[in-house]
Amino acid sequence: MVRTRFAPSPTGFLHIGGLRTALFSYLFARHNGGIFILRIEDTDRTRYIEEAMTDIMESLKWVGIEWDEGPDIGGPYAPYKQSERKDIYLQHAEELIKRGNAYKCFCSQERLEKLREEQRKRGEKIGYDRHCRNLSEEDIKRYESENKPYVIRLKAPLSGETNFNDLIRGKITVSNETLDDIVLIKSDGFPTYHLANIVDDHLMRITHVIRGEEWISSTPKHVILYQSFGWEPPFFAHVPVILAPGGGKLSKRHGATTVKEFREKGYLSEAVLNFIALLGWSYDDKTEIFSMEDLIKYFTIEKINKASAVFSYDKLDWYNGVYIRKKSPEELLELGKPFIIKADLLTEDEIEANRDYLLKIIPLIQERIKLLSEIPEKIWFFFDRHFEIREKKELVPKGLDISQALDLLKKARKGLEKIETFTKDNIEEFIRGLMEETGFKTKQIFMPLRVAVTGTRVSPGLFETMEVLGKKRVLDRISKAIYYLEDRKSLE
RNA sequence: GUCUCCUUCGUCUAGUGGUUAGGACACCGGGUUUUCAACCCGGCAACAGGGGUUCGACUCCCCUAGGAGAUGCCA
Protein backbone atom coordinates (compact mmCIF):
# COMPACT_ATOMS: atom_id res chain seq x y z
CA MET A 1 0.00 0.00 0.00
CA VAL A 2 1.39 3.35 -1.09
CA ARG A 3 1.43 5.98 1.63
CA THR A 4 2.64 9.50 0.94
CA ARG A 5 2.55 12.66 2.96
CA PHE A 6 2.78 16.40 2.71
CA ALA A 7 4.67 17.74 5.70
CA PRO A 8 4.71 21.53 5.75
CA SER A 9 5.88 23.60 8.64
CA PRO A 10 3.43 26.28 9.70
CA THR A 11 5.70 29.26 9.25
CA GLY A 12 3.51 31.15 6.81
CA PHE A 13 0.78 30.90 4.24
CA LEU A 14 1.03 28.02 1.83
CA HIS A 15 3.27 28.92 -1.06
CA ILE A 16 2.45 27.95 -4.63
CA GLY A 17 5.57 25.77 -4.69
CA GLY A 18 4.44 23.97 -1.58
CA LEU A 19 1.07 23.41 -3.14
CA ARG A 20 2.66 21.74 -6.14
CA THR A 21 4.79 19.48 -3.96
CA ALA A 22 1.66 18.52 -2.06
CA LEU A 23 -0.14 17.93 -5.34
CA PHE A 24 2.48 15.57 -6.72
CA SER A 25 2.51 13.66 -3.47
CA TYR A 26 -1.28 13.50 -3.48
CA LEU A 27 -1.52 12.47 -7.12
CA PHE A 28 0.98 9.70 -6.65
CA ALA A 29 -0.97 8.30 -3.72
CA ARG A 30 -4.32 8.53 -5.51
CA HIS A 31 -3.00 7.16 -8.77
CA ASN A 32 -1.84 4.12 -6.90
CA GLY A 33 -4.90 3.79 -4.74
CA GLY A 34 -2.85 4.76 -1.72
CA ILE A 35 -3.17 6.96 1.32
CA PHE A 36 -2.26 10.62 1.51
CA ILE A 37 -1.32 12.11 4.85
CA LEU A 38 -1.04 15.67 6.08
CA ARG A 39 1.48 16.15 8.83
CA ILE A 40 2.33 19.46 10.42
CA GLU A 41 6.01 19.88 11.22
CA ASP A 42 5.91 22.57 13.86
CA THR A 43 9.13 21.84 15.66
CA ASP A 44 10.50 25.35 15.33
CA ARG A 45 8.50 27.35 17.79
CA THR A 46 10.41 30.53 16.94
CA ARG A 47 8.94 30.65 13.47
CA TYR A 48 5.51 29.31 14.29
CA ILE A 49 2.60 31.27 12.87
CA GLU A 50 -0.81 30.70 14.32
CA GLU A 51 -2.95 31.04 11.18
CA ALA A 52 -0.59 29.04 9.01
CA MET A 53 -2.04 25.63 9.70
CA THR A 54 -5.56 26.75 8.86
CA ASP A 55 -4.34 28.42 5.72
CA ILE A 56 -2.45 25.33 4.63
CA MET A 57 -5.49 23.16 5.06
CA GLU A 58 -7.83 25.61 3.35
CA SER A 59 -5.46 26.07 0.44
CA LEU A 60 -5.10 22.35 -0.12
CA LYS A 61 -8.84 21.85 0.00
CA TRP A 62 -9.35 24.74 -2.36
CA VAL A 63 -7.66 22.91 -5.22
CA GLY A 64 -9.23 19.64 -4.20
CA ILE A 65 -6.43 17.94 -2.31
CA GLU A 66 -7.89 15.87 0.49
CA TRP A 67 -5.96 13.93 3.06
CA ASP A 68 -6.89 10.61 4.60
CA GLU A 69 -5.03 11.17 7.83
CA GLY A 70 -4.15 14.49 9.35
CA PRO A 71 -4.13 16.79 12.34
CA ASP A 72 -7.80 17.68 11.99
CA ILE A 73 -9.19 14.25 11.25
CA GLY A 74 -6.75 12.02 13.07
CA GLY A 75 -5.83 8.57 11.87
CA PRO A 76 -4.14 5.37 12.97
CA TYR A 77 -0.82 7.08 13.67
CA ALA A 78 -2.07 10.22 15.41
CA PRO A 79 -1.17 12.79 16.43
CA TYR A 80 -0.16 14.37 13.10
CA LYS A 81 1.29 17.50 14.62
CA GLN A 82 4.89 17.11 15.64
CA SER A 83 4.71 19.41 18.61
CA GLU A 84 2.40 16.83 20.13
CA ARG A 85 4.89 14.04 19.55
CA LYS A 86 7.89 15.52 21.33
CA ASP A 87 8.42 12.54 23.63
CA ILE A 88 8.56 10.12 20.74
CA TYR A 89 11.50 11.91 19.20
CA LEU A 90 13.36 12.17 22.47
CA GLN A 91 12.97 8.45 23.07
CA HIS A 92 14.29 7.71 19.64
CA ALA A 93 17.26 10.00 20.06
CA GLU A 94 18.13 8.30 23.32
CA GLU A 95 17.81 4.95 21.64
CA LEU A 96 20.37 6.14 19.12
CA ILE A 97 22.76 7.17 21.87
CA LYS A 98 22.40 3.73 23.40
CA ARG A 99 23.24 2.18 20.08
CA GLY A 100 26.32 4.36 19.87
CA ASN A 101 25.00 6.20 16.81
CA ALA A 102 24.43 9.55 18.44
CA TYR A 103 25.99 11.64 21.15
CA LYS A 104 25.38 14.59 23.37
CA CYS A 105 27.14 17.75 22.28
CA PHE A 106 27.74 20.47 24.85
CA CYS A 107 29.27 22.99 22.52
CA SER A 108 27.81 26.46 22.85
CA GLN A 109 26.31 28.24 19.89
CA GLU A 110 28.97 30.90 20.30
CA ARG A 111 31.70 28.32 19.87
CA LEU A 112 30.04 26.95 16.75
CA GLU A 113 29.70 30.37 15.22
CA LYS A 114 33.30 31.18 15.88
CA LEU A 115 34.29 27.85 14.43
CA ARG A 116 32.42 28.48 11.22
CA GLU A 117 33.84 31.93 10.92
CA GLU A 118 37.37 30.62 11.16
CA GLN A 119 36.68 27.85 8.72
CA ARG A 120 35.34 30.34 6.28
CA LYS A 121 38.34 32.57 6.72
CA ARG A 122 40.73 29.71 6.10
CA GLY A 123 38.69 28.44 3.18
CA GLU A 124 38.08 25.10 4.82
CA LYS A 125 35.02 22.91 4.73
CA ILE A 126 32.42 24.50 6.95
CA GLY A 127 30.84 22.32 9.60
CA TYR A 128 30.96 20.97 13.09
CA ASP A 129 34.43 19.78 14.15
CA ARG A 130 32.98 16.88 16.14
CA HIS A 131 34.48 18.26 19.31
CA CYS A 132 32.08 16.31 21.55
CA ARG A 133 31.93 13.16 19.50
CA ASN A 134 34.42 11.36 21.67
CA LEU A 135 33.94 12.96 25.04
CA SER A 136 35.01 10.76 27.93
CA GLU A 137 32.43 9.29 30.28
CA GLU A 138 33.67 11.57 33.03
CA ASP A 139 33.35 14.70 30.94
CA ILE A 140 29.83 13.80 29.97
CA LYS A 141 28.91 13.05 33.58
CA ARG A 142 30.44 16.28 34.73
CA TYR A 143 28.65 18.41 32.14
CA GLU A 144 25.40 16.69 32.94
CA SER A 145 25.78 17.31 36.64
CA GLU A 146 26.48 20.95 35.84
CA ASN A 147 23.22 20.96 33.87
CA LYS A 148 25.09 22.23 30.88
CA PRO A 149 22.74 22.58 27.91
CA TYR A 150 23.33 20.12 25.13
CA VAL A 151 22.07 18.92 21.79
CA ILE A 152 22.05 15.39 20.49
CA ARG A 153 23.99 14.80 17.31
CA LEU A 154 24.07 11.96 14.86
CA LYS A 155 27.37 10.10 14.46
CA ALA A 156 27.87 10.20 10.75
CA PRO A 157 30.35 7.74 9.27
CA LEU A 158 33.77 9.28 8.74
CA SER A 159 34.67 7.50 5.55
CA GLY A 160 33.14 5.64 2.67
CA GLU A 161 30.12 6.93 0.81
CA THR A 162 26.37 7.02 1.13
CA ASN A 163 23.95 6.84 -1.70
CA PHE A 164 20.28 6.59 -2.42
CA ASN A 165 18.17 6.12 -5.47
CA ASP A 166 16.05 9.10 -6.32
CA LEU A 167 12.99 8.17 -8.35
CA ILE A 168 13.40 11.26 -10.48
CA ARG A 169 17.16 11.69 -10.67
CA GLY A 170 18.54 8.23 -10.26
CA LYS A 171 21.42 7.32 -8.02
CA ILE A 172 22.84 10.11 -5.90
CA THR A 173 26.10 9.48 -4.09
CA VAL A 174 28.01 11.55 -1.60
CA SER A 175 31.30 10.99 0.08
CA ASN A 176 30.83 10.62 3.82
CA GLU A 177 33.72 12.97 4.47
CA THR A 178 31.51 15.81 3.35
CA LEU A 179 28.84 14.91 5.87
CA ASP A 180 28.26 16.64 9.16
CA ASP A 181 27.12 15.35 12.53
CA ILE A 182 23.68 16.87 12.30
CA VAL A 183 21.71 17.94 15.33
CA LEU A 184 18.83 15.62 16.16
CA ILE A 185 17.52 17.18 19.35
CA LYS A 186 17.91 20.88 20.03
CA SER A 187 18.80 22.21 23.44
CA ASP A 188 15.16 23.12 24.02
CA GLY A 189 14.27 19.46 23.76
CA PHE A 190 12.53 19.79 20.41
CA PRO A 191 13.67 17.61 17.55
CA THR A 192 15.09 19.05 14.35
CA TYR A 193 13.40 18.44 11.06
CA HIS A 194 15.80 15.63 10.30
CA LEU A 195 14.94 13.49 13.29
CA ALA A 196 11.25 14.23 13.51
CA ASN A 197 10.76 13.73 9.82
CA ILE A 198 12.52 10.38 9.70
CA VAL A 199 10.92 9.03 12.84
CA ASP A 200 7.45 10.04 11.69
CA ASP A 201 7.88 8.81 8.15
CA HIS A 202 8.89 5.47 9.58
CA LEU A 203 6.23 5.30 12.26
CA MET A 204 3.54 6.45 9.86
CA ARG A 205 4.61 3.82 7.34
CA ILE A 206 5.36 6.33 4.59
CA THR A 207 6.42 4.43 1.49
CA HIS A 208 7.32 7.34 -0.81
CA VAL A 209 8.83 10.60 0.31
CA ILE A 210 7.99 13.17 -2.34
CA ARG A 211 9.40 16.57 -1.44
CA GLY A 212 11.22 19.59 -2.81
CA GLU A 213 14.70 19.27 -4.24
CA GLU A 214 16.09 21.50 -1.50
CA TRP A 215 16.18 18.28 0.51
CA ILE A 216 18.51 16.40 -1.77
CA SER A 217 21.61 17.28 0.17
CA SER A 218 20.01 16.26 3.44
CA THR A 219 18.86 12.93 2.17
CA PRO A 220 22.14 11.06 2.61
CA LYS A 221 22.05 12.08 6.26
CA HIS A 222 18.51 10.84 6.46
CA VAL A 223 19.55 7.55 4.93
CA ILE A 224 22.24 7.22 7.59
CA LEU A 225 19.62 7.96 10.20
CA TYR A 226 17.41 5.19 8.88
CA GLN A 227 20.37 2.85 8.93
CA SER A 228 21.26 3.89 12.44
CA PHE A 229 17.80 2.90 13.57
CA GLY A 230 17.98 -0.27 11.57
CA TRP A 231 15.05 0.84 9.45
CA GLU A 232 14.40 0.43 5.77
CA PRO A 233 14.36 3.87 4.14
CA PRO A 234 11.38 4.81 1.96
CA PHE A 235 11.61 5.67 -1.72
CA PHE A 236 12.62 9.24 -2.40
CA ALA A 237 11.51 11.56 -5.16
CA HIS A 238 12.80 15.12 -5.13
CA VAL A 239 10.72 17.41 -7.26
CA PRO A 240 12.24 20.47 -8.90
CA VAL A 241 11.56 23.89 -7.48
CA ILE A 242 9.51 26.64 -9.08
CA LEU A 243 11.52 29.68 -10.07
CA ALA A 244 10.48 33.27 -10.59
CA PRO A 245 10.50 34.78 -14.08
CA GLY A 246 14.10 35.76 -14.57
CA GLY A 247 15.31 33.14 -12.12
CA GLY A 248 15.55 33.02 -8.37
CA LYS A 249 12.89 32.59 -5.80
CA LEU A 250 9.33 33.54 -6.47
CA SER A 251 8.60 36.62 -4.37
CA LYS A 252 5.89 39.23 -3.90
CA ARG A 253 7.74 41.42 -6.33
CA HIS A 254 6.63 39.11 -9.14
CA GLY A 255 3.00 38.98 -8.10
CA ALA A 256 1.07 36.44 -6.10
CA THR A 257 3.08 33.73 -4.36
CA THR A 258 0.78 32.22 -1.78
CA VAL A 259 -2.25 30.19 -2.69
CA LYS A 260 -4.35 32.65 -0.79
CA GLU A 261 -3.13 35.51 -2.96
CA PHE A 262 -3.95 33.69 -6.16
CA ARG A 263 -7.39 33.05 -4.84
CA GLU A 264 -7.88 36.68 -3.89
CA LYS A 265 -6.69 37.88 -7.27
CA GLY A 266 -9.47 35.99 -8.95
CA TYR A 267 -7.84 32.80 -10.10
CA LEU A 268 -9.95 29.68 -10.30
CA SER A 269 -8.77 26.65 -8.41
CA GLU A 270 -9.02 24.54 -11.56
CA ALA A 271 -6.70 26.90 -13.40
CA VAL A 272 -4.14 26.98 -10.61
CA LEU A 273 -4.30 23.21 -10.32
CA ASN A 274 -3.93 22.62 -14.05
CA PHE A 275 -1.12 25.11 -14.37
CA ILE A 276 1.04 23.92 -11.49
CA ALA A 277 0.52 20.28 -12.41
CA LEU A 278 2.20 21.03 -15.72
CA LEU A 279 5.05 22.87 -14.08
CA GLY A 280 7.59 20.09 -13.99
CA TRP A 281 5.30 17.32 -15.11
CA SER A 282 3.72 16.44 -18.40
CA TYR A 283 1.54 13.72 -19.78
CA ASP A 284 2.27 13.86 -23.48
CA ASP A 285 3.23 16.31 -26.19
CA LYS A 286 -0.16 17.91 -26.67
CA THR A 287 -2.65 17.71 -23.82
CA GLU A 288 -2.96 21.00 -21.95
CA ILE A 289 -6.22 20.66 -20.07
CA PHE A 290 -6.37 18.39 -17.05
CA SER A 291 -8.95 18.07 -14.33
CA MET A 292 -8.01 16.60 -10.97
CA GLU A 293 -9.56 13.37 -12.13
CA ASP A 294 -7.39 13.34 -15.25
CA LEU A 295 -4.31 14.10 -13.23
CA ILE A 296 -4.97 11.22 -10.87
CA LYS A 297 -5.49 8.93 -13.80
CA TYR A 298 -2.33 9.92 -15.66
CA PHE A 299 0.15 10.92 -12.99
CA THR A 300 3.41 9.03 -12.75
CA ILE A 301 6.68 10.01 -11.12
CA GLU A 302 8.64 9.02 -14.22
CA LYS A 303 7.14 11.96 -16.07
CA ILE A 304 8.31 14.50 -13.50
CA ASN A 305 11.00 16.73 -14.90
CA LYS A 306 14.47 17.09 -13.42
CA ALA A 307 14.96 20.76 -14.15
CA SER A 308 13.31 23.52 -12.20
CA ALA A 309 10.51 25.38 -13.93
CA VAL A 310 9.91 29.09 -14.28
CA PHE A 311 6.52 30.32 -13.22
CA SER A 312 4.56 32.03 -16.00
CA TYR A 313 1.76 34.37 -15.03
CA ASP A 314 0.85 34.63 -18.71
CA LYS A 315 0.12 30.97 -19.01
CA LEU A 316 -1.76 30.88 -15.74
CA ASP A 317 -3.91 33.75 -16.98
CA TRP A 318 -4.64 31.84 -20.14
CA TYR A 319 -5.70 28.80 -18.16
CA ASN A 320 -7.88 30.99 -16.00
CA GLY A 321 -9.64 32.33 -19.06
CA VAL A 322 -10.16 28.80 -20.32
CA TYR A 323 -11.76 27.70 -17.07
CA ILE A 324 -13.83 30.83 -16.70
CA ARG A 325 -15.33 30.16 -20.10
CA LYS A 326 -16.25 26.66 -18.99
CA LYS A 327 -18.40 27.87 -16.12
CA SER A 328 -22.16 28.15 -16.20
CA PRO A 329 -23.56 31.64 -15.50
CA GLU A 330 -24.73 30.39 -12.10
CA GLU A 331 -21.29 29.13 -11.18
CA LEU A 332 -19.55 32.23 -12.42
CA LEU A 333 -21.91 34.47 -10.52
CA GLU A 334 -21.27 32.50 -7.37
CA LEU A 335 -17.51 32.77 -7.90
CA GLY A 336 -17.73 36.44 -8.79
CA LYS A 337 -19.87 37.43 -5.83
CA PRO A 338 -17.04 38.22 -3.40
CA PHE A 339 -15.36 40.36 -6.02
CA ILE A 340 -18.53 42.29 -6.80
CA ILE A 341 -19.05 42.94 -3.11
CA LYS A 342 -15.45 43.84 -2.49
CA ALA A 343 -15.48 46.38 -5.31
CA ASP A 344 -18.53 48.04 -3.70
CA LEU A 345 -20.52 47.49 -6.83
CA LEU A 346 -23.40 45.68 -5.14
CA THR A 347 -24.13 44.38 -1.69
CA GLU A 348 -24.86 40.77 -1.00
CA ASP A 349 -28.57 41.60 -0.81
CA GLU A 350 -28.50 43.54 -4.05
CA ILE A 351 -26.88 40.61 -5.76
CA GLU A 352 -29.67 38.36 -4.61
CA ALA A 353 -32.30 40.88 -5.61
CA ASN A 354 -30.76 41.21 -9.07
CA ARG A 355 -29.94 37.57 -9.49
CA ASP A 356 -31.86 37.01 -12.74
CA TYR A 357 -30.49 40.21 -14.22
CA LEU A 358 -26.94 39.20 -13.29
CA LEU A 359 -27.37 35.78 -14.78
CA LYS A 360 -28.16 37.45 -18.09
CA ILE A 361 -25.20 39.81 -17.76
CA ILE A 362 -22.60 37.16 -16.95
CA PRO A 363 -22.60 35.44 -20.37
CA LEU A 364 -21.87 38.78 -22.00
CA ILE A 365 -18.61 39.23 -20.12
CA GLN A 366 -17.61 35.64 -19.65
CA GLU A 367 -15.25 35.40 -22.58
CA ARG A 368 -13.86 38.86 -21.99
CA ILE A 369 -12.29 38.29 -18.60
CA LYS A 370 -9.23 36.42 -17.44
CA LEU A 371 -9.65 37.02 -13.71
CA LEU A 372 -12.71 36.99 -11.51
CA SER A 373 -11.56 40.32 -10.15
CA GLU A 374 -12.26 41.88 -13.53
CA ILE A 375 -15.97 41.21 -13.23
CA PRO A 376 -16.92 44.47 -11.45
CA GLU A 377 -15.20 46.68 -13.99
CA LYS A 378 -16.93 44.81 -16.81
CA ILE A 379 -20.46 44.95 -15.46
CA TRP A 380 -20.63 48.28 -13.61
CA PHE A 381 -22.63 50.03 -16.31
CA PHE A 382 -25.49 47.58 -16.04
CA PHE A 383 -26.43 49.23 -12.76
CA ASP A 384 -28.08 52.61 -12.80
CA ARG A 385 -26.66 53.51 -9.42
CA HIS A 386 -23.20 53.55 -10.99
CA PHE A 387 -23.99 54.55 -14.53
CA GLU A 388 -22.52 57.60 -16.13
CA ILE A 389 -21.17 58.33 -19.58
CA ARG A 390 -17.51 58.04 -18.82
CA GLU A 391 -16.18 58.78 -22.26
CA LYS A 392 -18.44 61.58 -23.33
CA LYS A 393 -16.22 62.68 -26.16
CA GLU A 394 -16.70 59.33 -27.81
CA LEU A 395 -20.36 60.10 -28.27
CA VAL A 396 -19.20 61.86 -31.40
CA PRO A 397 -16.87 59.53 -33.26
CA LYS A 398 -14.45 60.51 -35.96
CA GLY A 399 -16.21 61.41 -39.17
CA LEU A 400 -19.33 62.76 -37.48
CA ASP A 401 -20.12 66.14 -36.04
CA ILE A 402 -22.30 66.87 -33.08
CA SER A 403 -25.47 67.48 -34.98
CA GLN A 404 -25.02 64.29 -36.94
CA ALA A 405 -24.49 62.34 -33.73
CA LEU A 406 -27.52 63.95 -32.22
CA ASP A 407 -29.60 63.18 -35.23
CA LEU A 408 -28.46 59.60 -35.11
CA LEU A 409 -29.24 59.18 -31.45
CA LYS A 410 -32.65 60.71 -31.89
CA LYS A 411 -33.47 58.44 -34.77
CA ALA A 412 -32.26 55.49 -32.78
CA ARG A 413 -34.35 56.46 -29.79
CA LYS A 414 -37.39 56.80 -31.91
CA GLY A 415 -36.86 53.51 -33.66
CA LEU A 416 -35.95 51.54 -30.59
CA GLU A 417 -38.98 52.81 -28.82
CA LYS A 418 -41.14 51.22 -31.46
CA ILE A 419 -39.66 47.77 -30.97
CA GLU A 420 -42.24 45.74 -29.11
CA THR A 421 -40.18 42.77 -28.01
CA PHE A 422 -36.80 44.13 -27.17
CA THR A 423 -34.62 41.26 -28.32
CA LYS A 424 -31.19 41.43 -29.82
CA ASP A 425 -32.47 40.20 -33.17
CA ASN A 426 -35.12 42.89 -33.37
CA ILE A 427 -32.63 45.51 -32.24
CA GLU A 428 -30.17 44.39 -34.85
CA GLU A 429 -32.77 44.47 -37.57
CA PHE A 430 -33.62 48.03 -36.70
CA ILE A 431 -30.04 49.24 -36.44
CA ARG A 432 -29.03 47.62 -39.68
CA GLY A 433 -31.90 49.44 -41.25
CA LEU A 434 -30.76 52.67 -39.67
CA MET A 435 -27.39 52.17 -41.26
CA GLU A 436 -28.86 51.95 -44.68
CA GLU A 437 -31.12 54.88 -44.05
CA THR A 438 -28.38 57.21 -42.80
CA GLY A 439 -25.56 55.89 -44.91
CA PHE A 440 -23.16 56.12 -41.99
CA LYS A 441 -20.39 53.62 -41.58
CA THR A 442 -20.84 50.85 -39.07
CA LYS A 443 -18.37 52.30 -36.60
CA GLN A 444 -19.97 55.71 -36.82
CA ILE A 445 -23.32 54.33 -35.94
CA PHE A 446 -22.30 51.81 -33.32
CA MET A 447 -19.99 54.03 -31.33
CA PRO A 448 -22.38 56.80 -30.29
CA LEU A 449 -24.94 54.21 -29.29
CA ARG A 450 -22.40 52.07 -27.46
CA VAL A 451 -21.09 55.03 -25.49
CA ALA A 452 -24.56 56.31 -24.73
CA VAL A 453 -25.73 52.95 -23.49
CA THR A 454 -22.61 51.51 -21.82
CA GLY A 455 -20.72 54.66 -20.93
CA THR A 456 -17.50 53.62 -22.66
CA ARG A 457 -16.29 52.56 -26.06
CA VAL A 458 -15.40 49.05 -24.98
CA SER A 459 -18.27 46.76 -24.13
CA PRO A 460 -19.89 43.46 -24.96
CA GLY A 461 -21.89 43.23 -28.17
CA LEU A 462 -24.28 46.14 -28.52
CA PHE A 463 -27.43 44.23 -29.37
CA GLU A 464 -27.10 41.69 -26.57
CA THR A 465 -26.18 44.41 -24.15
CA MET A 466 -29.24 46.41 -25.08
CA GLU A 467 -31.46 43.39 -24.73
CA VAL A 468 -30.15 42.66 -21.26
CA LEU A 469 -30.38 46.30 -20.18
CA GLY A 470 -33.96 46.39 -21.35
CA LYS A 471 -35.86 48.92 -23.36
CA LYS A 472 -36.43 51.40 -20.59
CA ARG A 473 -32.82 51.72 -19.54
CA VAL A 474 -31.64 51.93 -23.12
CA LEU A 475 -34.04 54.71 -23.97
CA ASP A 476 -33.28 56.60 -20.79
CA ARG A 477 -29.60 56.45 -21.45
CA ILE A 478 -29.92 57.53 -25.05
CA SER A 479 -32.04 60.45 -23.89
CA LYS A 480 -29.40 61.32 -21.35
CA ALA A 481 -26.76 61.36 -24.07
CA ILE A 482 -28.99 63.53 -26.25
CA TYR A 483 -29.53 66.05 -23.47
CA TYR A 484 -25.85 66.11 -22.86
CA LEU A 485 -25.01 66.79 -26.49
CA GLU A 486 -27.74 69.39 -26.88
CA ASP A 487 -26.55 71.11 -23.79
CA ARG A 488 -23.00 71.25 -24.99
CA LYS A 489 -23.39 71.71 -28.68
CA SER A 490 -19.65 71.54 -28.70
CA LEU A 491 -17.09 69.19 -27.26
CA GLU A 492 -14.16 71.54 -26.80
C1' G B 1 35.08 28.17 -0.76
C1' U B 2 33.20 22.98 -0.61
C1' C B 3 29.42 19.38 -1.83
C1' U B 4 25.02 17.96 -4.66
C1' C B 5 21.56 18.58 -8.50
C1' C B 6 20.11 20.73 -13.18
C1' U B 7 20.66 22.65 -18.71
C1' U B 8 15.54 21.61 -25.96
C1' C B 9 12.18 28.01 -28.79
C1' G B 10 11.48 34.23 -24.30
C1' U B 11 8.46 30.62 -20.91
C1' C B 12 6.10 25.48 -19.91
C1' U B 13 7.35 21.13 -22.44
C1' A B 14 7.47 16.40 -26.20
C1' G B 15 11.64 13.76 -27.62
C1' U B 16 15.09 8.26 -25.10
C1' G B 17 21.06 7.03 -31.55
C1' G B 18 18.69 8.12 -37.73
C1' U B 19 12.48 13.51 -36.81
C1' U B 20 11.57 19.03 -41.94
C1' A B 21 13.24 18.70 -33.56
C1' G B 22 6.40 18.42 -32.25
C1' G B 23 2.72 21.06 -29.04
C1' A B 24 1.14 25.12 -25.59
C1' C B 25 1.64 30.28 -23.58
C1' A B 26 3.55 34.92 -25.02
C1' C B 27 4.69 37.76 -29.36
C1' C B 28 3.84 39.18 -34.70
C1' G B 29 0.63 38.92 -39.14
C1' G B 30 -4.13 37.70 -41.32
C1' G B 31 -9.40 36.22 -41.06
C1' U B 32 -14.22 36.94 -38.56
C1' U B 33 -16.31 41.52 -36.74
C1' U B 34 -19.67 46.28 -33.91
C1' U B 35 -15.53 48.22 -29.84
C1' C B 36 -12.99 44.70 -26.61
C1' A B 37 -12.60 39.78 -26.15
C1' A B 38 -13.37 34.84 -27.81
C1' C B 39 -12.63 31.96 -32.14
C1' C B 40 -10.00 30.34 -36.86
C1' C B 41 -5.55 30.48 -40.03
C1' G B 42 -0.40 31.60 -40.56
C1' G B 43 4.52 33.21 -38.77
C1' C B 44 8.79 34.00 -35.50
C1' A B 45 11.66 31.10 -32.30
C1' A B 46 15.47 26.02 -29.25
C1' C B 47 18.93 21.21 -28.61
C1' A B 48 24.50 26.27 -23.48
C1' G B 49 29.83 25.60 -25.40
C1' G B 50 33.88 22.20 -26.35
C1' G B 51 35.74 17.43 -26.71
C1' G B 52 34.95 12.28 -27.31
C1' U B 53 31.98 7.25 -28.37
C1' U B 54 29.49 5.90 -33.01
C1' C B 55 28.44 4.80 -39.84
C1' G B 56 25.34 8.48 -37.39
C1' A B 57 24.29 12.27 -31.91
C1' C B 58 19.31 16.69 -28.82
C1' U B 59 19.60 11.70 -27.16
C1' C B 60 25.59 7.98 -24.30
C1' C B 61 30.53 9.68 -21.70
C1' C B 62 33.97 13.69 -20.12
C1' C B 63 35.24 18.83 -19.45
C1' U B 64 33.80 24.00 -19.25
C1' A B 65 30.20 27.63 -18.50
C1' G B 66 25.62 29.05 -16.52
C1' G B 67 21.60 28.16 -13.04
C1' A B 68 19.64 26.07 -8.48
C1' G B 69 20.10 23.92 -3.67
C1' A B 70 22.89 22.62 0.70
C1' U B 71 26.74 23.96 3.89
C1' G B 72 21.86 26.32 10.87
C1' C B 73 20.22 24.04 17.88
C1' C B 74 15.15 26.68 9.97
C1' A B 75 12.31 23.67 7.62
Side-chain angles (χ1 to χ4, degrees), chain A residues 142-165:
Chain A
R142 195 178 71 242
Y143 288 142
E144 280 174 342
S145 68
E146 288 169 4
N147 268 327
K148 206 170 173 190
Y150 65 88
V151 300
I152 298 178
R153 286 181 186 271
L154 175 70
K155 257 188 205 174
L158 271 13
S159 60
E161 51 186 34
T162 300
N163 61 62
F164 66 97
N165 183 53

Side-chain angles (χ1 to χ4, degrees), chain A residues 277-344:
Chain A
L278 258 32
L279 225 43
W281 176 84
S282 63
Y283 171 62
D284 60 12
D285 60 343
K286 46 180 81 72
T287 316
E288 301 285 342
I289 303 299
F290 293 88
S291 65
M292 182 64 97
E293 207 183 322
D294 297 331
L295 293 170
I296 289 171
K297 194 156 123 200
Y298 301 133
F299 186 83
T300 58
I301 287 183
E302 295 73 61
K303 296 290 282 179
I304 297 179
N305 239 47
K306 289 182 178 71
S308 39
V310 174
F311 194 94
S312 164
Y313 287 94
D314 278 337
K315 190 141 193 184
L316 209 212
D317 285 353
W318 173 75
Y319 270 118
N320 215 49
V322 168
Y323 282 101
I324 281 177
R325 277 171 245 134
K326 285 187 181 204
K327 294 290 178 192
S328 70
E330 286 81 4
E331 290 169 324
L332 200 50
L333 175 57
E334 205 49 44
L335 289 161
K337 244 184 190 177
F339 294 90
I340 294 170
I341 295 167
K342 202 179 165 205
D344 279 327

Side-chain angles (χ1 to χ4, degrees), chain A residues 163-172 223 234-238:
Chain A
N163 61 62
F164 66 97
N165 183 53
D166 187 276
L167 262 21
I168 295 170
R169 291 149 210 278
K171 192 174 174 186
I172 293 174
V223 169
F235 293 104
F236 293 102
H238 290 93

Side-chain angles (χ1 to χ4, degrees), chain A residues 108-173:
Chain A
S108 67
Q109 304 214 36
E110 293 71 50
R111 185 181 108 77
L112 296 177
E113 261 164 52
K114 200 175 286 172
L115 181 67
R116 276 193 286 269
E117 203 181 304
E118 282 168 13
Q119 287 167 334
R120 222 184 304 273
K121 219 182 286 171
R122 277 183 260 141
E124 290 171 0
K125 169 172 116 54
I126 293 153
Y128 181 53
D129 62 357
R130 299 186 161 110
H131 177 79
C132 296
R133 179 155 163 149
N134 295 306
L135 244 34
S136 67
E137 282 300 315
E138 300 139 41
D139 284 340
I140 296 172
K141 287 237 170 68
R142 195 178 71 242
Y143 288 142
E144 280 174 342
S145 68
E146 288 169 4
N147 268 327
K148 206 170 173 190
Y150 65 88
V151 300
I152 298 178
R153 286 181 186 271
L154 175 70
K155 257 188 205 174
L158 271 13
S159 60
E161 51 186 34
T162 300
N163 61 62
F164 66 97
N165 183 53
D166 187 276
L167 262 21
I168 295 170
R169 291 149 210 278
K171 192 174 174 186
I172 293 174
T173 307

Side-chain angles (χ1 to χ4, degrees), chain A residues 56-110:
Chain A
I56 289 166
M57 296 198 289
E58 277 177 2
S59 297
L60 292 173
K61 281 183 191 158
W62 183 60
V63 297
I65 296 176
E66 285 170 348
W67 47 99
D68 305 298
E69 300 170 22
D72 54 336
I73 53 173
Y77 304 101
Y80 292 88
K81 217 176 150 186
Q82 291 186 328
S83 56
E84 294 167 12
R85 303 167 62 81
K86 214 176 144 188
D87 294 345
I88 299 174
Y89 311 121
L90 208 53
Q91 284 165 20
H92 280 85
E94 275 158 8
E95 165 69 19
L96 239 34
I97 294 180
K98 248 179 250 158
R99 284 164 168 260
N101 291 326
Y103 61 95
K104 289 181 180 177
C105 167
F106 298 91
C107 292
S108 67
Q109 304 214 36
E110 293 71 50

Side-chain angles (χ1 to χ4, degrees), chain A residues 265-284:
Chain A
K265 285 203 166 188
Y267 288 99
L268 260 36
S269 64
E270 296 96 322
V272 170
L273 173 72
N274 199 151
F275 173 69
I276 63 170
L278 258 32
L279 225 43
W281 176 84
S282 63
Y283 171 62
D284 60 12

